[in-house]
Amino acid sequence: MGTSMKLLYIVLDGAADGLEAPKSSLGTANKPYIDSLAKNAHCGLVYTVGKGIAPESDEAVISILGYDPHVYYTGRGPLEAVGAGVPFKEGEVALRADLATVDPQTLRIIDRRAGRDVTDAEGEELAKSVDGLRLDGGHGVAHFVHTVAHRGVLVLSHDSVRLSGNISNTDPAYEREGLISKAKAKFEPVVLKSHPLDPSDKGAQVASELLNEFTEKAIKILDSHPVNKARRQAGKLPANAILSRDAGDKLPKAEPISGVFGMRFASVTEMPVERGIAITFGLEDLHYEVRGKTKEQILRDEARLVLDNLDKFDAFYVHLKGPDEPGHDGNYESKRAAIELIDKHFFSTLLEGLRLNDVLIIVTSDHSTPWYLKSHSDDPVPIMFSNPMIHESHDRFDERACSSGSLGILSSGTQIIPTALKIMKELQA
């Protein structure tokens, strides 16, 4: 080969269902482009964080980029803030947030995601009405920014107190376990009061008070907002509350990924948390505006973004959304369709523009989101390392096929990039 080999690392968010699934979305999807890569690929399974752990997305992505999340993870909120372009510094508290529908009198939650149909234009208008709210008699400030659909980022600051992220969630569906929030199997659908997880922590005490004040004021403002009046008239649920979780007060401090692996990495991501992780760990963010585009357009544009920058970087981390959400909804058909859409528009565009001999392509998931469980699971996910010079062949890319691959089971996502570098070295020898 005249040029050094490039690494294309493609992650299908939540696409895996696990070996025990009644039907595998990957196994039944019509995905000729992805499956063609399995014809020449080292395959296996990988526990993205570790055996027995059902990982959240953020800790999984940190792990599969080669960093031990038990060492580097500091909480999701700050990563969301960085990914959304929201100014954040240590001593402030950042949280991920969702626009929700509540009864403003009883605070009973009617829908945690406001019907999942909040448009970006609606979300931006609602966010503007609560962004910059003064709290604690003017000593505190809340910055709220809309990101995508019903999602947003909240950053709390105080002029005389260094805030701590060691506080509980106002979203009752998730409970803090250390720095991570875990989904509850059952919960009372009522907006919770946040409280300090350590009663002696002054910064957490003030942070929880600010969060509770913001939550209460936001409901009063949002409930009568013109956007919600229009939504009610259209027969839609009002997005009249903000549920918050995953507070954090600092960002990870780590050696940039280029220094760890000796390669210039770029990233293509859609959601704030993956973008925030990429930026924090030193990947070059190939950001572009997705608003106003169809999912098909976005997928084609993401592939072109890689192709257009192929000469500028050694490696690309591409995180594709789509399969995870229907997995959480328990919708097998939609999950399978999301995988097929990625194949038809992203992989077709990418593969038609590549010299395949010059790249090693990794395809995997950050975690399993089995549609029959409606949540993340601790199942290992399928992984393949594909190049035409690899003499190992599989009919398709799914859990079953990869379980018989030569790689066996990788015990941690931190092994993925080192494995890729080893394969690349062998191929170029």
Side-chain angles (χ1 to χ4, degrees):
M1 288 182 2
T3 59
S4 61
M5 188 174 284
K6 306 285 185 176
L7 177 62
L8 305 186
Y9 188 173
I10 302 162
V11 175
L12 314 182
D13 196 299
D17 287 322
L19 285 166
E20 304 303 317
K23 286 184 290 189
S24 161
S25 306
L26 281 168
T28 57
N30 178 29
K31 52 186 200 319
Y33 290 96
I34 296 174
D35 289 340
S36 71
L37 294 172
K39 305 296 183 191
N40 297 93
H42 294 307
C43 292
L45 301 173
V46 57
Y47 289 103
T48 57
V49 173
K51 189 173 182 179
I53 297 172
E56 291 303 304
S57 298
D58 45 4
E59 58 174 335
V61 172
I62 289 171
S63 182
I64 64 179
L65 284 174
Y67 297 85
D68 183 351
H70 299 103
V71 174
Y72 294 102
Y73 187 69
T74 58
R76 179 157 178 165
L79 296 169
E80 292 264 355
V82 169
V86 182
F88 169 82
K89 61 181 185 290
E90 286 196 20
E92 299 176 336
V93 165
L95 305 100
R96 65 180 298 196
D98 289 302
L99 290 164
T101 306
V102 305
D103 179 326
Q105 266 66 54
T106 65
L107 299 188
R108 191 154 194 86
I109 298 169
I110 297 162
D111 191 307
R112 286 184 51 257
R113 300 180 183 91
R116 278 200 196 270
D117 61 358
V118 177
T119 66
D120 287 331
E122 289 174 329
E124 285 178 10
E125 285 302 309
L126 293 170
K128 285 177 190 172
S129 70
V130 296
D131 183 32
L133 277 181
R134 307 297 299 190
L135 308 169
D136 189 23
H139 294 288
V141 180
H143 287 295
F144 181 74
V145 174
H146 170 260
T147 55
V148 179
H150 54 273
R151 302 176 183 90
V153 175
L154 174 63
V155 177
L156 301 170
S157 59
H158 198 277
D159 62 12
S160 60
V161 178
R162 186 180 175 89
L163 302 179
S164 164
N166 195 26
I167 62 176
S168 67
N169 302 326
T170 62
D171 185 341
Y174 288 84
E175 187 167 17
R176 283 287 292 265
E177 291 182 11
L179 291 169
I180 294 168
S181 290
K182 297 291 187 182
K184 296 182 191 173
K186 293 181 181 179
F187 61 91
E188 184 71 15
V190 175
V191 180
L192 297 179
K193 289 272 191 189
S194 179
H195 61 268
L197 298 176
D198 176 359
S200 68
D201 186 342
K202 165 82 169 174
Q205 180 66 50
V206 174
S208 61
E209 290 169 357
L210 294 178
L211 178 55
N212 292 332
E213 184 182 350
F214 170 78
T215 303
E216 185 179 319
K217 285 184 173 178
I219 290 171
K220 289 177 181 174
I221 293 168
L222 295 175
D223 192 56
S224 58
H225 195 284
V227 164
N228 281 324
K229 288 181 178 176
R231 283 179 64 84
R232 286 187 180 99
Q233 288 172 355
K236 297 179 179 179
L237 293 170
N240 64 350
I242 295 169
L243 300 177
S244 305
R245 68 185 197 265
D246 301 328
D249 54 35
K250 62 177 72 71
L251 286 162
K253 291 181 173 66
E255 183 181 359
I257 196 168
S258 58
V260 175
F261 296 114
M263 302 176 79
R264 293 170 300 157
F265 267 84
S267 63
V268 177
T269 58
E270 295 173 26
M271 302 297 285
V273 69
E274 286 87 25
R275 179 168 294 122
I277 291 168
I279 292 169
T280 299
F281 287 92
L283 289 82
E284 181 74 23
D285 174 38
L286 300 180
H287 182 46
Y288 69 107
E289 188 52 63
V290 300
R291 296 186 186 197
K293 295 180 180 177
T294 65
K295 182 62 178 173
E296 291 86 350
Q297 286 175 311
I298 291 169
L299 289 166
R300 290 193 294 269
D301 286 350
E302 286 169 328
R304 292 189 189 108
L305 206 52
V306 173
L307 295 171
D308 291 346
N309 287 277
L310 209 54
D311 292 338
K312 300 173 188 171
F313 299 95
D314 306 310
F316 296 80
Y317 176 82
V318 184
H319 196 107
L320 302 176
K321 298 297 285 187
D324 184 56
E325 200 163 272
H328 282 289
D329 291 340
N331 192 329
Y332 157 75
E333 295 290 348
S334 291
K335 185 172 181 180
R336 185 182 67 182
I339 293 167
E340 291 177 348
L341 202 69
I342 288 171
D343 187 76
K344 184 176 180 181
H345 296 283
F346 176 83
F347 279 94
S348 67
T349 305
L350 181 72
L351 298 188
E352 286 165 9
L354 285 175
R355 280 171 44 91
L356 289 176
N357 272 36
D358 294 349
V359 295
L360 180 68
I361 299 177
I362 305 173
V363 183
T364 190
S365 290
D366 49 348
H367 52 75
S368 291
T369 311
W371 57 270
Y372 68 102
L373 295 179
K374 301 184 181 182
S375 65
H376 297 186
S377 72
D378 62 357
D379 295 286
V381 301
I383 186 166
M384 69 174 165
F385 299 78
S386 177
N387 177 278
M389 293 181 284
I390 292 174
H391 303 299
E392 177 182 334
S393 184
H394 300 268
D395 289 337
R396 57 190 304 110
F397 174 72
D398 64 11
E399 298 89 345
R400 189 66 56 194
C402 286
S403 69
S404 64
S406 62
L407 295 175
I409 300 179
L410 303 182
S411 61
S412 168
T414 57
Q415 296 174 261
I416 294 173
I417 297 177
T419 300
L421 297 180
K422 180 173 176 286
I423 294 170
M424 291 166 73
K425 187 176 180 181
E426 291 169 353
L427 291 175
Q428 295 177 100

